[in-house]
């Protein structure tokens, strides 16, 4: 049944109130929404740049939801009108046929009209059925609300105790089923049925983090759209799981696998086995179902939250209240939602998207914070394999095969042998005695076909091997098996296997024999312990009062022996991901980089590189009705248009909006020289230039003398920051700087970031203020808000160009030079890409300040190239480049800074004195 589409061209509203904007919009916000409306109506592609603080996310959602409502209303109106028109036309033709002598032609004409009418009637019926379906869901949701009034102190139901029973692990739990054609988790789990019904146009809103998505949801709640909106937020099990026994696991992989294991109710015995009753009982205990995976409760949770505009925290709270799984409830709500809130990974990676049950056909895709879309696509579709991982793959798979050899089917044994063979051949490419010999270079770049040929794996059917891996969950089974063995066996210093095909390493064989013997001894100790407990007549009172052993996952079974042991990483999964990359390869748009470590061969690695991210995005463009990219700093947009939308330029609309802050709220200055006249050129040649570092110290000391509150300084690399800080300490200027500002430095570990930011925030709001030294592209350069007192001045030291000698960067630039003509006069596409990497990072640093209409800040760009490079200035945000002054000496900048902050202090005092 072909869907009916309205022919009327929808015109965007003229007033902000027509968009249900929660307050009177600025002119740029109104123009944003109108332009977005036109893009959606025309099925186009939009790139929108609107600085942070201009209401970008709210404009995106209000414009999109307004178009959705107008489109749905127009569809119903035109459908009814066309059905009435066809009925009238058919009646007229039938009346004419009664009087006409050529009744055959008349009947033929009427037949076509009747066929079209029948199709439209079926479509309208499906539309009415869908509306009835929504009304029933609303009624159920209203009924559900009356059941959600629960006393705060009511304890949870005792279902969780099911997961805390004494569970005896049966090693046969790790045995893969024999030639099963069933996947453990198909698309959408139990909610993957494709129904023949009307499917509305769906809007999908993507952003980098869950916190950003939650912020958008909170803004939508404040609009009139929230009164009649079906919205659902999607996230991983790690974010949505409410089962404490599963959630306490440390990694996403362990959580996923434990969840899937709990869904396999009853624990079926593999075919062809004749187990005794005791063994079957152990299997059933191990795979006890999750108490929150109740389809009736999940359906109630879905109905109860879909109309409530929930963010992730709301879903989790409702799930605990309803005793239902939020993860599966959110997935069950996907077909009925008007607006999906999803992180990048769920959309940009095809397999992940399909497993989540998301359908892009005729959808509106909005990607917020899209300035790094190309890099994100390349990162998602890349995979690295280390030599040590490949060694562990061989050891674990070989031990696993040896343990269950007599019980594998022929097919399963073949696939396991193929995986061992692949790991062996890939490891050989990274070995010193590989093809390159002992005088090998530091790295090699191979095309994927060259890798297959050199590795002698070109004749293997990777599609069938991957299907086996997914069907059998071999990665999880082997990992669980490995976790049940003493970890020291897998940490032995076993050198990489370098066999000829069909042979094996003596060292690896010795390790396997040791592993198998240890497993056998461990099994005997368990049996003796069980007999001892049985003969003693049960557990003591003291033992009975102790908490039950932690049950986590088959991958963590050894935690019952060593409670403090942390689960080791799954080494099979990276190999499977690497093979998936090879299968996805479209030919010519990827490479495999071999990097050799002469000091530690175990750290040699190979990495699959996607050189053409646009190829992976093309399928998304073809499927969606419209694609919208938005961000606070989207410049330069040329690489997006050339690498992603090259074949769709006729559909493209690009809009760049100024900041909403007044002209005098931002003071951007590009500075060529410091106080003594020393030129600032922070390039590789001047890396050890102590005079320039001293000039930078003097500049920052002067800046801290006139800038109130917080100053954030971004260096091009951690090495540059470390070198500057050492000179700052050695020169004695650190003490002078601490007299003017409290000094903070970006922490090297992610766990210390929050604490550093809290302490910096308190100091920045104090009378003395604070200065924070950070790194471009580091932990503090994106996604953080240095508004108001936290960022009265942002300083960018130098231009953060990446290392041009990097093999990965060289290959990407070569690929662009061969395939694109992006470069401007005198530059190549590769050079343009190289420069864009730098400028996008600078723009992100600049965007950390001036976050709302009443905010103000100075921006200092310290490098002479900001003053002399026209192309560099063009790639800065428009609201910066249009206001920026290019100054030769610091003295000029100092005077401007003094006046800028004195004027704003006067304004604040006048505003504070006003009634």
């Amino acid at each position: 049944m072909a869907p009916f589409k309205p022919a009327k061209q929808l015109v965007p509203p003229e007033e902000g109130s027509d968009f249900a904007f929660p307050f009177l919009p600025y002119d740029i916000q109104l123009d944003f929404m109108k332009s977005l409306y036109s893009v959606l109506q025309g099925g186009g592609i939009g790139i929108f740049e609107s600085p942070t603080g201009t209401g970008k996310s709210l404009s995106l959602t209000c414009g999109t939801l307004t178009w959705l409502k107008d489109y749905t209303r127009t569809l119903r109106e035109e459908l009814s009108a066309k059905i009435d028109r066809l009925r009238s036309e058919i009646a007229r033709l039938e009346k004419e046929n009664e009087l006409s002598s050529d009744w055959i032609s008349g009947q033929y004409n009427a037949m076509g009209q009747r066929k079209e009418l029948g199709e439209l009637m079926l479509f309208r019926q499906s539309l009415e059925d869908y509306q009835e379906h929504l009304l029933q869901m609303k009624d159920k949701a209203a009924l559900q609300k009356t059941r959600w009034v629960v006393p705060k102190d009511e304890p949870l139901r005792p279902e969780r105790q099911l997961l805390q029973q004494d569970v005896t692990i049966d090693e046969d739990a790790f045995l893969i089923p024999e030639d099963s054609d069933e996947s453990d988790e198909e698309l959408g789990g139990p909610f993957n049925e494709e129904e023949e019904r009307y499917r509305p146009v769906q809007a999908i809103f993507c952003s980098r983090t869950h916190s950003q998505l939650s912020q958008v949801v909170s803004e939508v709640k404040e609009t009139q759209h929230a009164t009649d909106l079906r919205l659902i937020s999607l996230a991983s099990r790690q974010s949505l799981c409410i089962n404490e026994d599963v959630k306490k696991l440390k990694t996403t992989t362990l959580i996923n696998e434990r969840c899937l294991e709990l869904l396999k109710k009853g624990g079926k015995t593999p075919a062809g086995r004749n187990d005794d009753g005791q063994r079957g009982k152990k299997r059933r205990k191990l795979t006890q179902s999750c108490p929150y995976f109740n389809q009736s409760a999940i359906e109630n949770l879905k109905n109860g939250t879909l109309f409530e505009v929930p963010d992730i925290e709301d879903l989790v709270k409702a799930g605990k209240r309803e005793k239902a799984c939020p993860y599966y409830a959110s997935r069950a709500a996907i077909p009925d939602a008007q607006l999906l809130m999803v992180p990048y990974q769920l959309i940009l990676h095809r397999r992940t998207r399909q497993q989540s049950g998301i359908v892009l056909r005729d959808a509106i895709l909005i990607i917020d914070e899209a300035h790094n879309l190309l890099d994100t696509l390349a990162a998602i579709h890349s995979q690295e394999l280390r030599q040590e991982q490949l060694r562990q793959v061989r050891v674990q798979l070989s031990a696993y095969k040896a343990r269950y050899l007599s019980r594998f089917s022929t097919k399963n044994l073949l696939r396991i042998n193929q995986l061992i063979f692949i790991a062996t051949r890939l490891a050989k490419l990274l070995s010193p005695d590989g093809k390159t010999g002992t005088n090998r270079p530091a790295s090699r770049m191979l095309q994927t076909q060259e890798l297959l040929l050199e590795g002698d794996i070109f004749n293997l059917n990777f599609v069938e091997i991957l299907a086996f891996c997914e069907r059998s969950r071999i990665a999880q089974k082997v990992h669980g098996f490995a976790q049940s063995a003493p970890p020291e066996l897998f940490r032995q210093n076993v050198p990489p296997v370098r066999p000829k095909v069909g042979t094996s390493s003596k060292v690896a064989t010795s390790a396997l024999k040791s592993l198998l013997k240890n497993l056998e001894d461990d099994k005997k100790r368990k049996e003796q312990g069980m007999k001892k407990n049985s003969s003693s007549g049960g557990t003591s009172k003291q033992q009975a009062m102790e908490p039950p052993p932690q049950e986590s996952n088959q991958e963590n079974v050894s935690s019952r022996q060593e409670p403090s042991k942390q689960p080791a990483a799954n080494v099979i999964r990276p190999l499977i991901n690497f093979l998936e990359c090879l299968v996805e390869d479209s030919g010519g748009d990827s490479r495999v980089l071999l990097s050799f470590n002469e000091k530690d061969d175990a750290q040699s690695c190979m990495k699959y590189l996607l050189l053409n991210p646009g190829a992976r995005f093309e399928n998304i463009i073809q499927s969606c009705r419209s694609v919208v990219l938005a961000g606070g700093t989207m410049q330069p947009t040329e690489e997006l248009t050339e690498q992603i939308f090259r074949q769709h330029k006729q559909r493209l609309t690009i809009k760049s909006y100024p900041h909403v802050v007044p002209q005098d709220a931002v003071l951007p200055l590009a500075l060529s020289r410091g106080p003594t006249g020393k030129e600032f050129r922070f390039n590789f040649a001047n890396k050890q230039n102590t005079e320039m570092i001293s000039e930078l110290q003097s500049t920052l000391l002067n800046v801290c003398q006139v800038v109130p509150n917080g100053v954030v300084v971004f260096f091009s690399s951690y090495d540059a920051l470390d070198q500057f800080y050492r000179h700052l300490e050695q020169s004695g200027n650190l003490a002078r700087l601490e007299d003017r500002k409290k000094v903070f430095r970006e922490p090297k570990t992610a766990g210390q970031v929050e604490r550093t930011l809290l302490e910096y925030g308190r100091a920045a709001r104090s009378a003395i203020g604070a200065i924070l030294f950070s790194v471009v592209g580091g932990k503090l350069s994106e996604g953080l808000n240095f508004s108001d007192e936290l960022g009265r001045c942002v300083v960018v030291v130098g231009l953060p160009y990446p290392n041009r000698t990097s093999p990965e960067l060289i290959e990407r630039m070569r690929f662009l030079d061969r395939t694109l003509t992006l470069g401007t006069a005198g530059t190549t596409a590769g050079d343009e890409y190289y420069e864009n990497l730098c400028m996008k990072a600078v723009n992100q640093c600049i965007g950390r300040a001036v976050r709302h209409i009443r905010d103000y800040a100075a921006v200092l760009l310290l490098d002479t190239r900001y003053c002399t490079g026209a192309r560099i200035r063009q790639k800065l945000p428009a609201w910066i480049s249009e206001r920026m002054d290019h100054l030769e000496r610091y003295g000029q900048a100092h005077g401007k800074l003094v006046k800028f902050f004195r004027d704003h202090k006067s304004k604040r005092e006048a505003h504070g004195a006003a009634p």
Side-chain angles (χ1 to χ4, degrees):
M1 179 174 57
F4 172 80
K5 295 184 179 180
K8 179 182 177 181
Q9 289 294 315
L10 299 179
V11 179
E14 292 296 327
E15 302 295 332
S17 58
D18 297 326
F19 285 100
F21 210 67
F23 44 81
L24 184 66
Y26 305 126
D27 290 341
I28 65 168
Q29 292 171 334
L30 183 58
D31 186 76
F32 190 125
M33 290 186 288
K34 291 168 70 174
S35 299
L36 174 63
Y37 191 104
S38 298
V39 168
L40 301 183
Q41 172 57 27
I45 297 169
I47 299 177
F48 292 87
E49 180 184 56
S50 188
T52 302
T54 57
K56 166 176 54 70
S57 299
L58 196 55
S59 300
L60 282 168
T61 51
C62 286
T64 300
L65 294 174
T66 299
W67 180 87
L68 275 176
K69 291 181 178 180
D70 291 350
Y71 178 85
T72 303
R73 184 186 67 251
T74 304
L75 183 143
R76 293 195 190 114
E77 293 172 353
E78 290 197 17
L79 179 61
S80 296
K82 189 163 186 177
I83 287 175
D84 292 341
R85 187 165 62 251
L86 282 172
R87 283 174 171 168
S88 300
E89 183 68 14
I90 291 171
R92 182 185 65 80
L93 289 173
E94 289 178 345
K95 188 173 182 179
E96 290 179 355
N97 287 342
E98 293 176 358
L99 304 175
S100 173
S101 59
D102 187 9
W103 60 271
I104 295 179
S105 298
Q107 286 294 330
Y108 179 79
N109 293 333
M111 187 185 302
Q113 302 281 23
R114 290 193 190 95
K115 181 181 179 182
E116 185 179 3
L117 177 62
E119 291 177 350
L120 292 180
M121 291 294 291
L122 284 174
F123 183 79
R124 184 165 72 174
Q125 184 61 48
S126 69
L127 180 57
E128 292 173 353
D129 291 344
Y130 183 73
Q131 293 301 316
E132 181 64 26
H133 166 70
L134 293 179
L135 289 175
Q136 291 176 2
M137 289 177 59
K138 278 189 175 182
D139 292 341
K140 291 178 182 178
L143 180 63
Q144 193 67 20
K145 280 185 179 180
T146 63
R147 299 179 54 244
W148 278 3
V149 181
V150 181
K152 290 184 180 179
D153 299 329
E154 179 186 351
L156 290 176
R157 291 188 216 163
E159 292 104 326
R160 283 185 63 247
Q161 297 175 5
L162 292 172
L163 300 177
Q164 296 179 338
Q165 295 173 353
D166 185 19
V167 180
T168 304
I169 296 301
D170 179 10
E171 66 183 39
D172 290 341
F174 306 127
L175 182 63
I176 59 177
E178 294 186 10
D179 304 330
S180 171
D181 290 329
E182 298 176 358
S183 175
D184 288 298
E185 183 184 32
E186 297 178 358
L187 306 185
F191 308 105
N192 63 327
E193 298 177 2
E194 183 71 21
E195 301 180 15
E196 288 293 332
R197 66 178 188 185
Y198 166 75
R199 186 180 183 87
V201 176
Q202 193 173 63
I204 304 172
F205 192 103
C206 304
S207 195
R208 285 191 312 117
T209 64
H210 293 310
S211 60
Q212 290 171 334
L213 292 172
S214 294
Q215 177 63 33
V216 176
V217 172
S218 66
E219 292 177 353
V220 173
K221 286 181 179 179
E222 302 299 319
T223 70
Q224 295 178 10
H225 292 293
T227 59
D228 186 26
L229 175 63
R230 303 185 305 279
L231 178 148
I232 202 69
S233 298
L234 300 182
S236 64
R237 288 181 176 88
Q238 191 172 33
S239 299
L240 291 176
C241 181
I242 58 174
N243 188 323
E244 295 299 329
D245 293 274
V246 177
K247 192 175 180 180
K248 67 187 177 185
L249 299 174
K250 300 300 183 183
T251 66
T252 302
T253 301
L254 292 174
I255 291 174
N256 289 342
E257 293 312 313
R258 182 57 176 160
C259 174
L260 294 178
E261 199 63 46
L262 291 174
L263 299 192
K264 298 170 67 178
K265 298 182 179 180
K268 282 195 296 187
T269 300
R273 290 188 54 215
N274 295 316
D275 290 334
D276 55 26
Q278 184 181 13
R279 180 161 297 195
K281 183 178 180 181
K282 292 176 186 176
R283 287 281 290 165
R284 286 192 294 274
K285 276 191 176 183
L286 181 64
T287 55
Q288 182 61 261
S289 63
C290 177
Y292 303 104
F293 188 75
N294 180 295
Q295 294 201 25
S296 175
I298 288 173
E299 183 72 13
N300 291 336
L301 178 59
K302 179 198 80 171
N303 295 336
T305 56
L306 185 59
F307 299 93
E308 297 296 322
V309 192
D311 59 18
I312 293 173
E313 291 184 2
D314 296 330
L315 275 173
V316 170
K317 289 178 183 176
K320 291 179 179 178
R321 186 169 55 222
E322 185 64 17
K323 309 295 189 295
C325 177
Y327 175 77
Y328 280 104
S330 64
R331 294 177 72 169
I334 289 175
D336 294 314
Q338 292 172 294
L339 182 59
L340 291 179
M341 312 298 293
V342 301
Y344 282 169
Q345 178 75 14
L346 288 183
I347 290 295
L348 300 181
H349 192 267
R350 181 186 59 82
R351 187 168 175 272
T352 305
R353 181 172 70 243
Q354 291 175 346
Q355 289 180 331
S356 301
I358 298 173
V359 179
L360 294 182
R361 185 178 65 252
D362 231 16
I364 297 167
L365 179 61
I366 301 170
I367 301 179
D368 197 11
E369 303 297 331
H371 56 275
N372 279 335
L373 178 60
L374 287 168
D375 298 331
T376 302
L377 281 166
I380 287 175
H381 294 90
S382 296
Q383 179 63 46
E384 184 176 275
L385 273 179
R386 289 183 296 106
Q387 175 75 284
E388 175 61 19
Q389 288 176 315
L390 292 170
R391 186 190 74 87
Q392 287 289 344
V393 168
R394 298 194 305 276
V395 170
Q396 292 183 16
L397 278 174
S398 297
Y400 179 73
K401 183 182 77 169
R403 169 62 72 184
Y404 299 108
L405 181 62
S406 62
R407 296 160 66 180
F408 285 137
S409 68
T410 305
K411 275 189 178 180
N412 288 346
L413 185 57
L414 171 64
R415 299 303 179 206
I416 291 173
N417 282 332
Q418 287 175 330
L419 286 172
I420 295 174
F421 178 74
I422 291 171
T424 301
R425 299 304 300 177
L426 293 179
K428 186 174 177 61
L429 291 176
L430 294 174
S431 301
D433 57 349
K435 184 177 179 179
T436 54
T438 54
N439 297 323
R440 58 182 178 176
S443 65
R444 292 182 65 204
M445 190 70 68
L446 302 177
Q447 295 189 16
T448 53
Q449 192 61 33
E450 292 175 328
L451 177 82
L452 299 178
L453 290 171
E454 288 193 23
D456 196 23
I457 54 176
F458 63 92
N459 56 346
L460 297 179
N461 191 326
F462 288 166
V463 175
E464 290 183 358
I465 293 172
L466 290 172
F468 159 77
C469 293
E470 182 173 1
R471 182 173 62 249
S472 66
R473 291 175 56 230
I474 184 70
Q476 292 73 34
K477 299 285 186 180
V478 173
H479 187 51
F481 169 77
Q483 286 293 102
S484 69
E488 58 269 14
L489 289 178
F490 297 99
R491 291 199 297 264
Q492 292 183 44
N493 188 24
V494 180
V497 180
R498 298 161 190 156
K500 296 180 180 179
V501 179
T503 66
S504 60
S505 169
K506 293 181 180 180
V507 181
T509 302
S510 174
L512 295 180
K513 288 180 179 179
S514 176
L515 170 62
L516 293 175
K517 183 178 183 303
N518 197 290
L519 287 173
E520 189 65 32
D521 294 342
D522 188 58
K523 183 179 179 182
K524 290 179 180 178
R525 284 195 300 269
K526 288 181 182 178
E527 292 174 350
Q528 292 172 358
M530 291 173 62
K531 290 179 181 178
K532 183 177 180 181
N533 287 337
S534 176
S535 63
S536 64
T539 57
S540 66
K541 182 178 179 181
Q542 176 66 28
Q543 289 173 323
M545 294 177 63
E546 292 178 356
Q550 294 182 352
E551 172 64 29
S552 56
N553 192 315
Q554 290 179 354
E555 297 174 316
N556 196 25
V557 292
S558 59
S559 64
R560 276 165 290 284
Q561 301 165 9
E562 301 177 59
S564 62
K565 173 188 168 186
Q566 293 297 322
N570 190 322
V571 296
I572 311 294
R573 174 50 58 187
L575 175 62
I576 294 175
N577 291 342
F578 188 83
L579 298 182
E580 287 177 347
C581 290
L582 297 180
V583 170
E584 292 274 344
D585 185 63
S586 57
D589 63 353
S590 62
R591 298 289 186 272
V592 177
L593 173 64
L594 307 184
S595 300
F596 306 108
N597 190 317
E598 294 298 334
K599 295 182 179 179
D600 184 4
D601 192 54
Q603 297 306 313
S604 296
C605 67
M606 61 177 61
K607 183 178 182 181
Y608 177 89
L609 306 175
L610 179 63
L611 303 180
N612 183 16
R616 298 294 190 273
F617 201 74
E618 180 64 23
N619 181 256
I620 293 176
I621 299 173
Q622 296 288 351
S623 300
C624 293
R625 174 192 177 92
S626 288
V627 176
V628 176
L629 309 184
T633 52
M634 293 299 293
Q635 295 296 333
T637 59
E638 291 79 12
E639 67 176 8
L640 283 172
T641 60
E642 289 296 324
Q643 294 191 48
I644 293 184
F645 303 123
R646 193 178 185 185
Q647 307 299 325
H648 308 276
K649 290 187 177 181
Q650 70 281 2
R651 299 173 56 193
L652 196 59
T653 298
I654 301 176
K655 286 280 188 176
S656 181
Y657 293 99
H659 214 300
V660 294
V661 297
Q663 190 76 13
D664 61 354
V666 186
L667 179 65
L669 302 173
L671 188 59
S672 291
R673 301 175 185 274
T676 65
K678 179 69 178 178
E679 184 183 59
F680 286 141
R681 186 178 288 273
F682 296 95
N683 55 16
F684 184 79
N686 289 326
K687 185 177 180 180
Q688 304 297 329
N689 191 325
T690 56
E691 291 183 4
M692 196 167 63
I693 294 176
S694 298
E695 193 80 347
L696 175 60
Q697 293 179 30
S698 300
T699 301
L700 293 179
L701 283 168
N702 281 287
V703 167
C704 289
Q705 191 172 8
V706 296
V707 176
N709 302 115
V711 177
V712 184
V713 183
F714 290 101
F715 289 83
S716 59
S717 67
Y718 285 102
D719 285 343
L721 172 56
D722 291 342
Q723 186 183 34
F724 169 80
Y725 206 83
R726 283 197 304 271
H727 280 78
L728 194 64
E729 291 174 322
Q730 294 167 1
S731 64
N733 284 329
L734 179 59
R736 294 178 59 195
L737 188 61
E738 287 174 336
D739 290 338
R740 303 179 186 186
K741 299 280 184 188
K742 189 167 183 180
V743 179
F744 294 87
R745 186 176 176 184
E746 179 176 318
K748 293 188 177 181
T749 60
Q752 297 176 325
V753 170
E754 186 174 354
R755 180 180 176 183
T756 301
L757 288 175
L758 286 173
E759 293 177 356
Y760 168 74
R762 283 194 294 266
R765 294 185 180 97
S766 67
I768 189 173
I771 184 169
L772 175 62
F773 295 119
S774 310
V775 175
V776 176
K779 304 174 188 68
L780 308 179
S781 63
E782 286 193 45
L784 293 179
N785 185 343
F786 291 107
S787 62
D788 299 315
E789 292 90 350
L790 298 184
R792 287 301 179 210
C793 182
V794 171
V795 182
V796 182
V797 180
L799 285 158
Y801 285 107
N803 180 8
R804 193 153 189 164
T805 63
S806 162
E808 183 174 339
L809 179 59
I810 291 172
E811 193 63 29
R812 290 188 186 280
M813 292 174 63
R814 286 176 180 170
F815 177 82
L816 292 173
D817 288 340
R818 289 194 304 268
T819 57
L820 296 180
T821 56
L822 177 67
T824 55
T827 65
T828 64
D831 292 333
E832 196 78 11
Y833 169 76
Y834 179 68
E835 192 169 83
N836 290 345
L837 286 175
C838 169
M839 295 312 300
K840 284 190 295 184
V842 171
N843 292 344
Q844 282 302 299
C845 296
I846 293 173
R848 297 312 94 210
V850 192
R851 309 287 287 188
H852 57 84
I853 193 170
R854 291 180 295 277
D855 201 0
Y856 63 93
V859 176
L860 266 64
L861 305 179
L862 304 185
D863 199 293
T864 187
R865 290 169 290 180
Y866 287 113
C867 299
T868 59
R871 289 205 331 273
I872 289 175
R873 295 197 301 270
Q874 290 171 1
K875 293 177 180 179
L876 291 168
W879 60 278
I880 290 291
S881 60
E882 292 172 355
R883 312 180 194 193
M884 190 164 70
D885 288 330
H886 308 103
L887 307 176
E888 278 296 315
R889 297 290 292 267
Y890 174 76
Q892 300 169 288
H894 193 85
K896 289 181 178 290
L897 287 170
V898 170
K899 183 177 185 304
F900 177 78
F901 288 106
R902 185 178 60 222
D903 291 348
H904 279 282
K905 182 180 180 181
S906 300
K907 287 181 181 179
R908 293 182 68 184
E909 291 174 349
H911 179 74

